[in-house]
């Protein structure tokens, strides 16, 4: 397969920084992975990797090789159908267009008689189907010889009610003696990572390179990456055998003389683990700088371990102590908030007999930095959410002006309201009339979802937009921040008037591992007789922060924001669209 790729595969300008003829000489570790897919005796290839190692080129080579040399029915599975469409348009279509060996074998879906579509392409002797792991229809029974499962740690536990999407895909290869299954992913949480478990059941190969000083073969590991204090630009690798320093300039030659070595007996599953330290597109100094930045925040460090080292994150027990958090309250309140706060957001939770809301203050030096947060005001609004009175009280709360020690005035710039429960219509109506103030109706989503999804979903029942919030990811983020003990990026401040009940709600949930059809699923759960409104509201306030791009360095802290009336709006019955009149108030711009 690597021979075919080196001779025929063309990299396209749309998806490669180095367009033109592909060559494994650039990243020699790719050769062993490609050839394993076409090696007799191997039925499954597992690639547990970091980002930036050329994994997409490997997947494209596998598809191209089988289209041109070994036609077969192929299934490419992505985490979602949207990602499957993006892969087809941005990766697969340019490869077909620019690689002469493939161009005449797969017709352009735009041609009248092609019979092809974005997610299904036919060629002589086979076809390619692209599907999302969350789509049962895409995994419907159809014989498949080549199954490519990309980013398996981002798959849901079940494709609808059909069961584990990876197992469903693999079952489709049962009738082929020469089947090939390829699983790739950056890992996530230890104990709940699909790629981790698949790699542990393989022969566990690592890429060994020779030391230029003692010629001993060793693996690039993070613990052997060193630099003088305060000088990550001088990062080097230290040989495990002779302790000599290996400069980055040696890397191309070391990769050229490296080879894959298995650490466990072969059982038909070839497993490969590779990290960014090997990548020809990544400098050790850049990786070191990113580590120094990430280690200030456990959530950033977790992402760095997953995406730079290609390793799963082993978490401490997900618990926080309400008493210790209460003990670090500070002497400020809603009447005079700390001067360092630059931005305010809100979260609103809807219960059967009340609404609960909190205003949270934020500060960061850049968009990449974990923002420091301040609790400002937590309020409970008793009343029937089916009636306007309680919503009017919440609206007045969200329009409040907060003053810093110097007299600078701030108001809520974005907010999220949970639309779950029995009052969805009221939430959509409230937020629809205030979308000009960036008050969003949201729906919490379990699993490894982003905290904020920029593109709104459509509620057909209410003919309204709703934004998805990754509830589990948000709770992960807050629990990581609650562990930070020194003021600075990611640290959480609390005022004196927050009582013990608040902190008990904020720390009420725990993480556990459940087994669904034999697969471990990590989930947050609420113990009996506990309440969690404060935690849910904090997740919504964080989602509101992520909802809008913020140029922290450009925020003018000297200009007071004048109190302004609520913007006038017209609601069109039926579609809840918002028409805003220009009022000239600064906070609307």
């Amino acid at each position: 397969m690597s021979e075919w790729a080196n001779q025929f595969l063309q990299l396209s300008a749309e998806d490669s920084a180095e367009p033109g003829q592909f060559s494994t000489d650039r990243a020699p570790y790719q050769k062993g992975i490609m050839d394993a897919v076409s090696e007799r005796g191997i039925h499954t290839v597992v690639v547990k990797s970091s980002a930036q190692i050329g994994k997409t080129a490997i997947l494209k080579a596998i598809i191209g090789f089988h289209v041109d040399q070994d036609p077969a029915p192929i299934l490419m599975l992505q985490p979602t159908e949207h990602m499957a469409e993006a892969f087809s348009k941005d990766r697969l279509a340019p490869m077909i267009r620019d690689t002469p060996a493939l161009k005449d074998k797969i017709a352009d879906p735009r041609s009248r008689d092609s019979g092809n579509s974005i997610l299904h392409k036919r060629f002589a002797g086979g076809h390619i189907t692209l599907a999302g792991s969350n789509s049962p229809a895409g995994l419907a029974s159809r014989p498949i010889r080549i199954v490519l499962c990309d980013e398996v740690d981002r798959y849901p536990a079940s494709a609808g009610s059909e069961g584990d999407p990876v197992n469903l895909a693999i079952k489709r290869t049962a009738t082929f003696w020469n089947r090939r299954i390829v699983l790739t992913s950056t890992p996530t949480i230890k104990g709940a990572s699909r790629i981790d478990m698949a790699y542990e059941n393989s022969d566990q190969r690592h890429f060994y390179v020779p030391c230029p000083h003692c010629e001993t073969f060793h693996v690039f590991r993070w613990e052997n990456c060193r630099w003088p204090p305060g000088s990550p630009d001088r990062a080097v690798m230290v040989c495990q055998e002779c302790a000599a320093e290996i400069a980055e300039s040696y890397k191309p030659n070391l990769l050229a003389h490296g080879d894959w070595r298995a650490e466990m007996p072969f059982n038909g599953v070839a497993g490969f683990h590779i990290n960014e330290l090997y990548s020809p597109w990544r400098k050790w100094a850049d990786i070191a700088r990113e580590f120094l930045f990430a280690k200030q925040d456990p959530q950033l460090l977790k992402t760095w371990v997953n995406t730079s080292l290609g390793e799963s994150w082993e978490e401490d027990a997900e618990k926080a102590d309400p008493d210790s958090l209460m003990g670090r309250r500070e002497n400020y309140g809603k009447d005079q908030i700390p001067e360092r706060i630059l931005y305010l957001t809100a979260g609103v939770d809807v219960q059967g007999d009340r609404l609960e809301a909190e205003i949270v203050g934020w500060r960061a030096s850049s968009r990449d930095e974990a923002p420091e947060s301040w609790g400002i005001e937590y309020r409970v609004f008793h009343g029937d959410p089916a009636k306007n009175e309680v919503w009017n009280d919440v609206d007045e709360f969200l329009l409040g002006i907060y003053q810093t020690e110097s007299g600078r005035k701030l108001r809520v710039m974005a907010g999220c309201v949970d639309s779950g429960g029995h009052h969805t219509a009221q939430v959509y109506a409230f937020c629809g009339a205030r979308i000009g103030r960036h008050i969003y109706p949201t729906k919490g989503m379990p699993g490894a979802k982003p905290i904020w999804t920029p593109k709104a979903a459509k509620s057909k029942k209410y003919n309204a937009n709703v934004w998805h919030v990754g509830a589990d990811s948000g709770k992960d983020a807050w629990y990581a921040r609650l562990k930070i003990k020194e003021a600075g990026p990611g640290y959480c401040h609390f005022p004196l008037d927050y009582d013990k009940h608040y902190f008990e709600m904020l720390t009420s949930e725990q993480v556990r591992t459940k087994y669904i059809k034999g697969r471990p699923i990590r989930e947050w759960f609420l113990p009996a007789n506990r309440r969690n409104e404060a935690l849910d509201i904090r997740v919504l306030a964080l989602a509101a922060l992520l909802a809008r791009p913020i140029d922290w360095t450009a925020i003018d802290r000297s200009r007071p924001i004048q109190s302004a009336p609520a913007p006038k709006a017209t609601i069109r019955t039926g579609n809840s669209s918002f028409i805003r009149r220009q009022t000239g108030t600064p906070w609307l711009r």
Side-chain angles (χ1 to χ4, degrees), residues 229-475:
S231 301
D233 290 345
R234 295 165 60 187
V236 298
M237 199 64 59
V238 174
C239 175
Q240 298 169 208
E241 186 67 24
C242 69
E245 293 185 352
I246 305 170
E248 179 112 37
S249 58
Y250 284 103
K251 190 197 289 188
N253 190 50
L254 300 186
L255 294 179
H257 291 87
D259 59 39
W260 287 100
R261 299 183 181 182
E263 298 182 358
M264 298 296 288
F266 178 67
N267 59 357
V269 181
F272 299 87
H273 179 241
I274 192 81
N275 60 48
E276 270 192 335
L277 297 171
Y278 290 91
S279 173
W281 304 284
R282 298 284 286 146
K283 300 294 185 184
W284 293 338
D286 293 336
I287 299 172
R289 279 194 296 268
E290 289 172 5
F291 165 74
L292 292 175
F293 180 79
K295 74 174 187 176
Q296 66 186 340
D297 178 2
Q299 197 67 17
L300 292 177
L301 185 60
K302 170 185 170 182
T303 300
W304 182 86
V305 167
N306 292 160
T307 59
S308 289
L309 301 187
E311 296 177 358
S312 55
W313 175 260
E314 189 166 4
E315 295 183 322
D316 298 330
E318 291 290 355
K319 294 181 180 179
D321 178 23
D323 292 328
S324 63
L325 293 175
M326 187 175 176
R328 72 185 201 196
R329 290 176 299 173
E330 301 170 29
N331 188 21
Y332 72 88
K334 63 180 182 294
D335 296 329
Q336 190 176 82
I337 65 176
E339 187 64 34
R340 298 185 66 242
I341 297 173
L342 299 178
Y343 198 85
L344 300 182
T345 67
V348 181
D349 186 55
V350 181
Q351 297 293 320
D353 60 351
R354 67 190 184 281
L355 304 178
E356 299 195 21
E358 184 182 21
I359 309 297
V360 179
W362 305 91
R363 180 190 183 88
S365 299
S366 69
R367 190 157 178 83
D368 294 329
E369 181 181 279
E372 199 168 356
S373 66
W374 285 261
I376 303 298
E377 184 175 7
Y378 192 98
R379 291 272 297 277
V380 179
F381 301 88
H382 294 283
D384 185 356
K387 298 180 179 179
N388 290 334
E389 289 80 0
V390 68
W391 289 103
N392 291 336
D393 292 341
V394 169
D395 190 37
E396 184 178 346
F397 177 68
L398 297 179
L399 284 169
I401 300 293
Y402 295 88
Q403 186 168 294
T404 68
E405 297 153 0
S406 68
R408 184 167 49 90
K409 296 178 181 179
L410 296 172
R411 71 185 313 145
V412 171
M413 302 304 291
C416 290
V417 184
D418 180 28
S419 67
H422 303 293
H423 302 286
T424 304
Q426 286 77 15
V427 172
Y428 286 150
F430 179 82
C431 296
R434 293 157 182 82
I435 201 68
R437 285 161 47 193
H438 308 286
I439 306 299
Y440 303 97
T442 62
K443 181 178 180 181
M445 303 296 288
K449 303 292 193 302
I451 297 174
W452 176 257
T453 303
K455 186 177 180 180
K458 192 75 174 179
S459 171
K460 294 181 180 179
K461 181 178 179 180
Y462 297 100
N463 193 26
N465 289 332
V466 59
W467 281 263
H468 288 165
V469 170
D472 291 354
S473 301
K475 291 169 186 175

Side-chain angles (χ1 to χ4, degrees), residues 154-181:
R154 277 73 184 171
Y155 291 4
S158 179
S161 60
E162 302 297 320
D164 180 52
V166 174
N167 289 337
L168 290 174
I170 291 174
K171 285 180 181 178
R172 293 171 60 173
T173 68
T175 58
F176 292 93
W177 65 270
N178 56 347
R179 68 188 184 278
R180 290 292 185 275
I181 298 137

Side-chain angles (χ1 to χ4, degrees), residues 202-221:
S202 72
D203 58 2
Q204 298 184 19
R205 305 181 190 190
H206 290 90
F207 198 72
Y208 281 76
V209 295
C211 171
H213 306 288
C214 69
E215 300 184 355
T216 301
F217 277 75
H218 65 285
V219 174
F220 283 162
R221 301 187 190 280

